[in-house]
Amino acid sequence: MTMTVMLLLTMTAMAQDKTAKQFSMPPRKAKTAVKKAQADFPIIQEQPAGNLKQYTRLGGGYEYGESKDQSGYAYIVFATDGSNDVWLKDPVCWFNTGAWVKGKLSSDKKTITVAMGQNLSYLSTDDAALQLGAGKVTGSSISRDKTITEATYTIDDNVIHLQNMDGENYVLGVFCSNDDSWQGYCDWSTAYIDEDYNPEHPVDPTQPEAEIPADLETATYAMMLFDLSFGSDGKESGRELIQTDAIVGFKDGKVYIQGLSGHARDGWVVGTVEGNTITIPAGQYQGTYTYNGKDYPIYLLGCDEETEEVKDIVFNYDPENGTLELADGLWLVDNSDPQVITTAFGVYDNVMLLSDGGSAPLIPADLETSDYLLMLFDLSFGTDGKESGRELIQTSAKVGFMDGKVYIQGLSGVASEGWVIGSVEGNTITIPSGQYQGTYTYGGTDYDIFLLGCDKETEEIKDIVFTYDPETGTLELREDLWIVDSSSATAIDAAGVYDSVILLKGEEEGPATAITRPQVTTEGSCYNLQGMRISKPQKGIYIQNGKKCGSSDISSDTAVV
């Protein structure tokens, strides 16, 4: 606690000892319940627009017959529209009606002034308002002093201090509008403490929120990411797949995204679009997040996975497929500070947004599915690139149709819980490539799995296209395609390759044949993710001596078979 705060607490104790015996009983008990305010007594009941900050409340107070220290939290909203407006909630600690009073922030952001006479509640028995006012301490009573027209607060780093109400001569109190009688509630030597203040990176609460053009056209994108949690040693201890949605709009070379934050979903960010790169400046305000009874501001940051330094949020953008993929080496972070990683409320990686044309499998709650028999050939390849193995697999899948779309679970051979979503047009079902399926564990390492279509001749990525017979409910993969389990959503890095894929509705599941991958046993040999030994590694992930490696890492003495 700072020296300033210690001094304030000392002053509070002195003031409390003196005034506790002096304050007389008020003429009537204040009605703290918020009543219907008449037109003559307007009360700000709705939280004003702007950035909300929460402070710990200290100082002396008096609540109808009892002198007591202030406690709990104070709330201030700072305007973000370029004005110097601020609003304080329940400015007198123990008079809690939920009312806001308006103030002004000085141009140097060091002083807040709040006009006296603002209404806090409506007293129906007297058709009067209970108002904020200055109370003069005289002997054993408090009287309203209307010559004092403002309460003045100074801002000194993490302390906002009420200056002209010291409890010795004046208090900040509640008075009745019709006769100026004191209503038994007052504060003095008030201090609001910002416990999250970082002197090296102070937060400017007047920082504006993202401005969204009124004529912005937006679309709903599917969003999937991994939510990370960390243990006491700072290492990753949890990784949960999250599938949700976000709102995305493009206009005049800029991108606008709502919903990137996991803790303030209504917040927007604004970034720039340059070719295949989208850059979103770090530190944009998203809203507030309540934790253990306290409201925290949320700012969205990019973070370097290795150094944990704040970075801009960079997405690889594919305008043709409407895909945004967080750049390698970055986390997305929900943080209480816009400039430095301090209190991270959320850390996410592998963030991907997909337009409706390539949406992630967000499964409708009321989707009705049918059991299907899935038959396919699992392929393996020799060193010359030619097919050297072809095993028939029969297993089960689930298929559902809804609103012109098809939903299939179980197409992946190594992540069978995953879903894909596609479109149905007559006798054709098209499933966009790159949809996430889950993880595949190999050699103690978890690999993300994405489902791709692949041209058999060129090995280029294609959409997965089935010929569909609605009468029999049969789906048959187009002859020129493979289905590929890949560790990349945008490149062939095969963990499984399948052809002659057929789904048959209502058929009983065939022999329970698990799709397995052999383990690496040959020292020095190199294997792909299928466990197949290869002689000429290309771009992708491989396994050598039981460890993951890239093509550039493979030793020169790798066995050639």
Side-chain angles (χ1 to χ4, degrees), residues 416-439:
S416 59
E417 296 298 314
W419 288 82
V420 290
I421 182 173
S423 58
V424 183
E425 294 185 6
N427 295 102
T428 301
I429 286 177
T430 304
I431 298 171
S433 281
Q435 298 187 49
Y436 178 79
Q437 299 300 284
T439 57

Side-chain angles (χ1 to χ4, degrees), residues 92-150:
V92 178
C93 181
W94 299 110
F95 191 73
N96 299 317
T97 66
W100 296 81
V101 295
K102 190 175 183 179
K104 293 292 183 181
L105 180 66
S106 62
S107 58
D108 61 3
K109 300 181 181 179
K110 292 294 185 181
T111 303
I112 295 174
T113 54
V114 176
M116 299 298 189
Q118 298 188 61
N119 300 322
L120 305 176
S121 184
Y122 175 64
L123 192 63
S124 59
T125 55
D126 289 35
D127 190 25
L130 301 183
Q131 298 178 331
L132 184 68
K136 185 174 182 179
V137 180
T138 306
S140 61
S141 64
I142 292 179
S143 59
R144 187 171 188 176
D145 188 341
K146 288 188 173 181
T147 64
I148 298 179
T149 59
E150 293 179 335

Side-chain angles (χ1 to χ4, degrees), residues 328-350:
D328 289 340
L330 285 181
W331 286 325
L332 190 66
V333 178
D334 278 328
N335 199 53
S336 62
D337 190 299
Q339 301 178 53
V340 63
I341 302 296
T342 52
T343 304
F345 287 104
V347 180
Y348 318 102
D349 72 354
N350 285 36

Side-chain angles (χ1 to χ4, degrees), residues 192-208:
Y192 298 158
I193 313 300
D194 182 0
E195 294 180 342
D196 297 317
Y197 179 78
N198 184 337
E200 295 182 0
H201 299 277
V203 176
D204 180 2
T206 64
Q207 176 180 332

Side-chain angles (χ1 to χ4, degrees), residues 366-432:
D366 56 349
L367 177 69
E368 296 182 359
T369 62
S370 300
D371 292 328
Y372 273 61
L373 172 64
L374 172 63
M375 296 191 302
L376 51 83
F377 281 94
D378 185 12
L379 311 183
S380 59
F381 295 86
T383 57
D384 58 357
K386 295 180 180 179
E387 181 181 317
S388 61
R390 196 165 188 267
E391 180 183 2
L392 174 65
I393 302 295
Q394 297 185 64
T395 184
S396 62
K398 288 188 178 296
V399 181
F401 294 88
M402 188 173 184
D403 300 330
K405 294 184 178 180
V406 62
Y407 302 82
I408 306 176
Q409 183 186 40
L411 270 186
S412 167
V414 295
S416 59
E417 296 298 314
W419 288 82
V420 290
I421 182 173
S423 58
V424 183
E425 294 185 6
N427 295 102
T428 301
I429 286 177
T430 304
I431 298 171

